[in-house]
Amino acid sequence: MTTEMFILATLDGLSAAALLFMVALGLTLIFGVMGILNVAHGSLYAIGGYVAATLGLAIDKFGLSPALYLPALFLAAILIGPLLGGILEVGLLRRILGKDHVLQLLVTFAAFMILEDVQRLVWGTQPYFVSNVMTQFGNTDILGITYTNYQMIVIPVVAALAYYGLRYFLTKTWLGREVIAMTFHREVATAMGVNAKLVSLLTFVIGAGLGTLGGALASPSTALLPGVGADMIVQSFAVIAIAGLGQLGGAALAACLIGLSRSFAVYLMPELAVLTPYIIMVLVLLVRPEGLFAATSMRRI
Amino acid sequence: MFIRLVTVALIILTVIIAHSFPWLKTPVIFSLCNGLAVLGVIVLIRAGQVSFGHAMYSCAAGYTVVFLARAYQLDGLLLIGLATMVATAFSALLGLFIVRYRGIFFGMLNLAFSMVLYSIISKFTTVTGGTDGLSFSRPQLAGFILERDAFETALLYMVLACALICGLLAQRYFESAPGQALGAIKTNETRLEYLGISAKHVFWMGYLFSGFLAGLGGSLFAIAQGLVTPEAGYWVRSGEFVFIAILGGSGHAIGAYLGAFIFEFVRFYAAALLTGAWQITLGIVLIVIIFLAPEGLVGMLTRFRLPARR
Amino acid sequence: MNQILLKTTGLSLSFGGVTACDGIDFELAEGERLAIVGQNGAGKTTFVNICTGYLKPSAGQVFFDGEDITGLSPRKITRRGVARSFQIPQLFAEHTVRECLLIAASARRDNLGFFQSIDRSVDVVSVDETLKLVQLAERSHLQARLLPEGQRKLLDVAMALVLNPRLLIMDEATSGVSSEEKHGLMETLMQALSERNVTSIFVEHDFEIVERYATRIAAWIAGKIAADGPPKQVLEDPEVIRNVIGG
């Protein structure tokens, strides 16, 4: 492997990891607080991307300033994530809280199916690829490699901000501490005055927002078509399974592990690239099912 | 028993469809094939465990059919038999590892293995045809070369017979000692151990049976379609199997087929009538069932029984 | 002199700072009906848990019928002929009473019919007998989780009994059973046990039961056996009166 390939693979991997991390972060946050694995999270990612792409196209169509490209991405995420997330939480998830976990998961699976059709009906099956933002930021030369600034800088920076912002919120603010209390024990937290409904809604909205943000930020560099949501959810799922369900910081490391192993595989043996996340997932689950970064070791039967 | 009536009604309906509405033969065949795979999922649900990767066994069987058919032009019955054996062996092997896990870890591990298989199939294009899949020409059935219509009818009866036999076998298994012990894993695995019964062994046998059922369904499906694609092993397909299991209800083997019929026919008609919004329709159906009848159709059918008996 | 069925040498287990089992040397002969008494936390259940494989001792050994079973899993120990019932009944909540016993009975057979109804592949006669014995025959079609506490206990014991063990260990078998029924039940149980040559250990708090049905009592105080012998002797031991019965 040449130095150029090494650098390319590293940059590819870190950029992919940053996106994957953002999405996985939302998923694992929701699981940690509400105990629900939201399959529809993948749909949020896809819809975030589609809306961002649509806004980008609209900006071009109406001849608006290109300076709006990047804000449009954030706008898409902030509008759609909380909106859809809120609808999902209040309309559906809130009503299944007491039920069997598998039924809860299936409800989110049903939501996923519905949203897949919604995507197809609204945006059709042709790929959307709106990469204006990426070209806008230009490229940089690193040791003989030309790489887009957007992927190299913007995405990782946003991901880092999102993570540290979330951590700050959870550890330093009152509301954030209530969220953490809920992860430990919902009933006890409620007994101590935490407004469970509000906290759940808030958590879900934040988590959904992270999902759509991931999708919006991914849209300049990924073609959006039917199936991207499905793909992203199973990958995010691999990330959080490897890290340990509910582990926020661990998800970053797991995302890097997956992102880098994939990108290196692309250069070494392309057929393996798609495979590596799941092989890692199998190995981790076999050896340490609770995840690499989980606090306590689970007693297997 | 009410369920027997339903079974007979379904069989009669199938036969009528075969002869009066030939264009419905395909969805019926697909329903029954899916039903077999779903029955496999139901076996595991009896132990309180849900596999989110069972499509890997139908997929493995399907690709075995295709590889063998393309290489050797074997008789359809032989293809089905061999492919089912391969899937069963596959589940026996994976089962050795998987049966040590419970709950969400069990679900995730099955998912992970299935995604490994899926990734291999989609990417090693030269061998597997990649995302386009592989096709093969219609095989002989029991030595007979059949035209398309006759082939479909014969296949329909064959699948119906398999579905019926497997349904009966599954019910028998549920009533048997290993099957009852399997059910005990759900509520008190520790007590099983204290009775001297190896829960892992019991679970492994159940897992094997479930792999067999999924494999049989997958091989029949492949024969019916003449084509296999990686989608057959994708996580969404596994999710659909679980969906159908809940829709039909895991209380009785017939639930697998009831659920599969409804799933397939909603998909068929929604595709035709609702500009393809079948996922929205089915999604809503699933949500309604979970809220109103979480034990599925079988649960609704058996609600008239005394609460004392399961 | 009857054969020694259960034997422990220097059996010890500590949890953190607490010594639950302190160098126990103990022997149980076939045919004995041993009552284990002691206050809560004295180490009775810990001792039972070690003997049945739930816990591993930090020192010492356990022998069953001459074989070293120290550290074996509960399943392996059960297969060697030791069965136990639990303080909190361990049942199969969604199965019926009869099904629970059928499943227990199925453990005795090595070759299980896969597609044969469980009714046909296990010793149904002994299941039905056991049902009658614990007076659960009328409730045999009720789901286990619907039983009242006392009957859950009985089902728990019945499941152990149906295994035809050589040694049956019962952990507070009659707690939760009404006082009118306690004696009748113990009488029937003990009768059945002696008919089947089952040696028994029962952990008990009810001293009337202990006095009446035990051939021997071992009193536990702070992880050690403070008194061990015929009922009359142990029950009149001042240590025992002070630390176990009085308390």
Side-chain angles (χ1 to χ4, degrees):
Chain A
M1 180 172 234
T2 63
T3 332
E4 278 98 22
M5 269 164 63
F6 184 85
I7 298 174
L8 262 176
T10 311
L11 291 173
D12 273 341
L14 290 176
S15 167
L19 275 173
L20 189 53
F21 170 56
M22 254 190 295
V23 180
L25 187 63
L27 187 64
T28 208
L29 176 69
I30 293 173
F31 181 83
V33 176
M34 301 170 73
I36 296 179
L37 272 175
N38 179 20
V39 181
H41 197 70
S43 313
L44 292 171
Y45 167 86
I47 292 178
Y50 273 118
V51 171
T54 308
L55 284 181
L57 290 174
I59 290 177
D60 279 345
K61 187 167 168 194
F62 294 110
L64 300 173
S65 158
L68 289 175
Y69 283 145
L70 191 62
L73 291 184
F74 288 100
L75 188 67
I78 294 173
L79 276 183
I80 295 300
L83 182 67
L84 270 182
I87 294 175
L88 270 178
E89 207 272 335
V90 174
L92 217 52
L93 297 178
R94 189 170 287 198
R95 297 158 204 266
I96 59 164
L97 272 178
K99 288 192 193 284
D100 185 62
H101 289 296
V102 177
L103 292 180
Q104 288 179 341
L105 192 125
L106 279 178
V107 165
T108 67
F109 182 70
F112 161 79
M113 287 178 74
I114 293 174
L115 290 173
E116 287 291 286
D117 259 356
V118 164
Q119 284 167 50
R120 211 172 30 82
L121 290 172
V122 174
W123 287 283
T125 51
Q126 293 306 313
Y128 276 68
F129 189 58
V130 180
S131 57
N132 304 323
V133 191
M134 218 161 55
T135 38
Q136 189 180 45
F137 276 86
N139 305 327
T140 307
D141 282 335
I142 290 192
L143 304 172
I145 303 294
T146 308
Y147 210 79
T148 66
N149 288 326
Y150 180 75
Q151 286 175 299
M152 202 164 52
I153 301 175
V154 176
I155 291 182
V157 164
V158 175
L161 283 175
Y163 173 62
Y164 286 106
L166 184 63
R167 253 182 68 163
Y168 183 85
F169 168 70
L170 287 176
T171 49
K172 301 275 196 284
T173 68
W174 187 245
L175 207 48
R177 297 244 197 83
E178 293 197 344
V179 172
I180 294 195
M182 290 264 295
T183 66
F184 284 108
H185 205 294
R186 193 187 178 90
E187 273 127 46
V188 172
T190 314
M192 302 192 93
V194 171
N195 185 342
K197 280 198 184 144
L198 181 63
V199 169
S200 296
L201 180 59
L202 182 66
T203 310
F204 201 84
V205 156
I206 294 176
L210 285 167
T212 46
L213 184 59
L217 288 175
S219 63
S221 55
T222 333
L224 294 163
L225 21 80
V228 283
D231 231 33
M232 178 46 81
I233 185 69
V234 70
Q235 269 196 74
S236 320
F237 194 48
V239 169
I240 72 175
I242 289 169
L245 299 170
Q247 298 296 321
L248 302 182
L253 291 164
C256 284
L257 181 61
I258 286 187
L260 287 169
S261 59
R262 254 189 97 137
S263 61
F264 275 86
V266 166
Y267 289 100
L268 294 172
M269 188 174 173
E271 292 91 355
L272 281 188
V274 184
L275 200 53
T276 43
Y278 304 110
I279 293 205
I280 297 176
M281 188 181 174
V282 166
L283 290 172
V284 170
L285 284 175
L286 284 178
V287 172
R288 205 176 140 87
E290 61 280 6
L292 293 176
F293 306 107
T296 46
S297 199
M298 191 114 303
R299 221 198 105 217
R300 227 174 295 152
I301 295 294
Chain B
M1 205 167 63
F2 198 33
I3 288 182
R4 271 186 212 154
L5 282 175
V6 171
T7 315
V8 171
L10 270 183
I11 295 175
I12 294 176
L13 197 63
T14 310
V15 174
I16 292 176
I17 284 177
H19 293 283
S20 314
F21 307 104
W23 69 90
L24 287 180
K25 271 189 274 184
T26 311
V28 169
I29 292 175
F30 287 174
S31 307
L32 291 169
C33 291
N34 278 337
L36 277 167
V38 171
L39 190 55
V41 172
I42 284 180
V43 167
L44 298 175
I45 289 182
R46 306 277 297 198
Q49 310 302 320
V50 185
S51 161
F52 283 99
H54 250 54
M56 65 176 147
Y57 299 118
S58 356
C59 181
Y63 273 91
T64 309
V65 166
V66 173
F67 289 150
L68 289 176
R70 284 165 76 106
Y72 300 113
Q73 279 91 48
L74 298 173
D75 188 285
L77 293 184
L78 200 54
L79 288 172
I80 293 168
L82 290 172
T84 309
M85 281 201 297
V86 166
T88 311
F90 188 32
S91 72
L93 181 63
L94 286 190
L96 291 175
F97 301 98
I98 291 180
V99 299
R100 295 169 190 277
Y101 303 82
R102 297 289 178 274
I104 196 163
F105 304 111
F106 176 78
M108 290 200 292
L109 199 48
N110 276 288
L111 173 68
F113 274 118
S114 78
M115 284 308 290
V116 168
L117 181 69
Y118 171 78
S119 309
I120 292 176
I121 290 178
S122 343
K123 287 306 172 184
F124 286 86
T125 315
T126 42
V127 181
T128 64
T131 47
D132 289 330
L134 283 179
S135 62
F136 62 102
S137 48
R138 205 178 315 132
Q140 294 183 345
L141 279 183
F144 294 100
I145 300 176
L146 297 167
E147 282 310 310
R148 187 161 147 225
D149 264 346
F151 182 81
E152 269 180 10
T153 310
L155 198 59
L156 178 64
Y157 280 115
M158 210 163 66
V159 175
L160 184 61
C162 283
L164 190 61
I165 294 173
C166 285
L168 288 170
L169 280 179
Q171 279 302 118
R172 278 280 190 97
Y173 172 66
F174 295 153
E175 305 285 323
S176 75
Q180 290 280 299
L182 183 76
I185 291 178
K186 181 178 178 186
T187 47
N188 201 333
E189 186 164 346
T190 317
R191 191 65 205 263
L192 273 181
E193 296 284 320
Y194 273 97
L195 291 174
I197 298 174
S198 166
K200 272 199 269 300
H201 186 61
V202 165
F203 195 23
W204 182 79
M205 292 193 294
Y207 195 78
L208 199 72
F209 188 35
S210 80
F212 162 77
L213 290 167
L216 181 59
S219 52
L220 287 166
F221 193 83
I223 300 265
Q225 264 200 319
L227 162 77
V228 197
T229 60
E231 297 303 307
Y234 198 43
W235 71 267
V236 175
R237 181 64 51 89
S238 297
E240 286 173 1
F241 288 161
V242 179
F243 173 152
I244 296 174
I246 300 295
L247 173 63
S250 54
H252 192 282
I254 193 88
Y257 303 114
L258 282 176
F261 267 103
I262 295 193
F263 189 89
E264 201 55 44
F265 277 82
V266 169
R267 177 152 57 181
F268 187 72
Y269 280 106
L273 302 172
L274 298 170
T275 63
W278 65 271
Q279 283 177 301
I280 291 181
T281 318
L282 278 173
I284 294 176
V285 167
L286 182 61
I287 292 175
V288 167
I289 285 279
I290 288 179
F291 277 98
L292 297 180
E295 309 234 309
L297 293 166
V298 166
M300 290 199 294
L301 288 178
T302 56
R303 236 182 238 178
F304 309 107
R305 296 172 106 190
L306 299 162
R309 199 64 171 87
R310 185 162 42 94
Chain C
M1 191 66 209
N2 274 342
Q3 197 191 344
I4 299 294
L5 204 54
L6 183 69
K7 172 172 157 168
T8 72
T9 54
L11 203 64
S12 300
L13 181 59
S14 306
F15 299 111
V18 182
T19 309
C21 242
D22 198 353
I24 307 276
D25 291 314
F26 169 82
E27 273 181 9
L28 183 75
E30 252 187 304
E32 290 201 70
R33 291 202 297 255
L34 171 76
I36 294 185
V37 300
Q39 292 202 329
N40 286 327
K44 320 183 294 292
T45 305
T46 308
F47 178 71
V48 165
N49 281 341
I50 298 176
C51 290
T52 52
Y54 186 67
L55 293 171
K56 288 204 203 340
S58 45
Q61 289 170 295
V62 185
F63 297 89
F64 181 72
D65 203 11
E67 186 192 346
D68 187 347
I69 60 167
T70 323
L72 285 185
S73 69
R75 182 172 59 87
K76 295 207 177 110
I77 294 183
T78 307
R79 289 213 85 93
R80 279 160 171 75
V82 182
R84 73 170 286 183
S85 73
F86 298 79
Q87 216 171 343
I88 301 172
Q90 298 298 316
L91 312 171
F92 301 130
E94 288 175 20
H95 283 79
T96 66
V97 167
R98 193 152 187 278
E99 282 166 354
C100 286
L101 288 180
L102 286 171
I103 294 174
S106 76
R108 277 158 56 191
R109 291 252 342 236
D110 276 325
N111 225 338
L112 299 164
F114 260 91
F115 299 113
Q116 189 184 33
S117 169
I118 194 173
D119 270 286
R120 281 202 217 128
S121 57
V122 307
D123 186 353
V124 172
V125 173
S126 80
V127 165
D128 286 324
E129 265 175 17
T130 314
L131 269 176
K132 267 201 231 111
L133 196 76
V134 293
Q135 293 158 19
L136 283 176
E138 277 113 52
R139 305 213 139 184
S140 65
H141 289 294
L142 211 55
Q143 270 192 329
R145 61 187 173 88
L146 297 173
L147 290 178
E149 179 63 22
Q151 294 182 340
R152 292 164 64 86
K153 266 288 169 59
L154 292 173
L155 179 56
D156 193 72
V157 173
M159 284 167 78
L161 203 57
V162 101
L163 292 177
N164 249 3
R166 292 185 62 196
L167 170 63
L168 177 64
I169 303 180
M170 295 177 278
D171 202 343
E172 299 194 32
T174 61
S175 78
V177 179
S178 69
S179 4
E180 308 95 62
E181 296 176 321
K182 262 196 208 204
H183 282 273
L185 207 54
M186 277 305 271
E187 185 73 47
T188 333
L189 263 178
M190 289 300 162
Q191 172 97 357
L193 290 180
S194 56
E195 265 171 37
R196 300 179 190 190
N197 276 327
V198 180
T199 312
S200 59
I201 297 177
F202 47 108
V203 177
E204 258 302 335
H205 280 296
D206 184 333
F207 286 94
E208 272 183 41
I209 301 265
V210 168
E211 202 174 359
R212 183 135 173 207
Y213 297 105
T215 58
R216 173 182 162 198
I217 303 181
W220 246 260
I221 300 179
K224 282 182 144 57
I225 302 182
D228 186 354
K232 265 233 151 359
Q233 178 195 315
V234 173
L235 291 173
E236 280 162 18
D237 183 320
E239 274 284 310
V240 175
I241 294 180
R242 205 178 332 126
N243 288 302
V244 182
I245 307 179

